[in-house]
Amino acid sequence: GAVVSQHPSRVICKSGTSVKIECRSLDFQATTMFWYRQFPKQSLMLMATSNEGSKATYEQGVEKDKFLINHASLTLSTLTVTSAHPEDSSFYICSARGTGLTNQPQHFGDGTRLSIL
Amino acid sequence: AQTVTQSQPEMSVQEAETVTLSCTYDTSESDYYLFWYKQPPSRQMILVIRQEAYKQQNATENRFSVNFQKAAKSFSLKISDSQLGDAAMYFCAYRIQGAQKLVFGQGTRLTINP
C-alpha cells in the first residue's frame, strides 16, 4: 500500500529555534499534501493544503509566515515552524494524496511530536 | 459548512464481541466520500474503511463494516470479533467529491477489555 514517511518523529528544541519537518511519499506521486496539527486527546486540525509547484493554501487562523510550507516535488513537502515557541508544541501530521483518480484517500505519515522548551 | 459528529467520546467492548461506533455528518452535497481512520497509540493514522456516497452497498473490510444511511446522514462502523489490537482512537471523516479537504469528527476512543 501507499507509504508516507515523516521525519523527524520527535523534536525537542529551545524557544526561538526554527524546525523543519519533512513529508515524503515513498511509492507514489503526491500532487497534494496536507499538514495537520493535533492537540492531546483532540481531533486533527488542518493547517494547510500544499500542491506541488504552487503556494500552499492555509486554513483560517494559521499564520503562513509562522508555518512555512514548501512542496517542491511530487514526493516531498516540508513544514518549517519558524522561531518556535512553547505554544507551538504539538503533534504535527502530514498526509498525501496520489495523482490520478479523484477518489483516492489520504495516506498519513507517522507524525512528528514537537516540544519547545 | 460540512461537519462530522461522533457522539461517543469513549467506548469499550469485551474481546471477541462486536461494537458499533457512531458518526453523523451534515452536508448539502450529494457526491462525497466517507472514511473511518484508526489512530493507535503509535499515533499513525490508518485508513480502516471508506464508502462512496453514490454506492448503496455498505463497505466491508474483513471484520470492519459500515452502516451507511445516506438519508439520515449516518455512517457507523461495526467491528466484529474485537481484538486487543483494535484499541485506538477512531475518527470518522468526510470529503466532498472533487474537493481536497477531509473533515474529521472529534474521535471515539475504543478500549478492548480482555
Side-chain angles (χ1 to χ4, degrees), chain A residues 56-100:
Chain A
T57 302
Y58 290 80
E59 295 299 301
Q60 190 174 8
V62 178
E63 300 175 60
K64 58 182 68 178
D65 294 331
K66 174 76 172 177
F67 299 99
L68 301 178
I69 292 172
N70 182 277
H71 192 163
S73 77
L74 284 172
T75 59
L76 174 64
S77 176
T78 60
L79 167 68
T80 301
V81 184
T82 61
S83 186
H85 291 286
E87 58 267 28
D88 298 322
S89 299
S90 190
F91 192 69
Y92 293 86
I93 308 175
C94 74
S95 71
R97 281 186 66 201
T99 57

Side-chain angles (χ1 to χ4, degrees), chain B residues 1-2 4 8 19 25 30 32 35 38 40-41 43 47 51-52 59 74 76 82 89 91 96 98 106-109:
Chain B
Q2 291 84 28
V4 178
Q8 306 154 317
V19 64
Y25 56 95
S30 58
Y32 49 87
F35 306 85
K38 168 185 177 181
R43 304 300 294 273
L47 178 63
Q51 173 86 39
E52 289 89 346
S74 170
S76 60
S82 299
M89 282 289 289
F91 292 98
I96 301 172
Q106 306 93 320
T108 296
R109 180 173 300 281

Side-chain angles (χ1 to χ4, degrees), chain B residues 78-91:
Chain B
K78 186 171 82 170
I79 305 174
S80 304
D81 186 25
S82 299
Q83 300 176 0
L84 295 178
D86 295 333
M89 282 289 289
Y90 285 81
F91 292 98

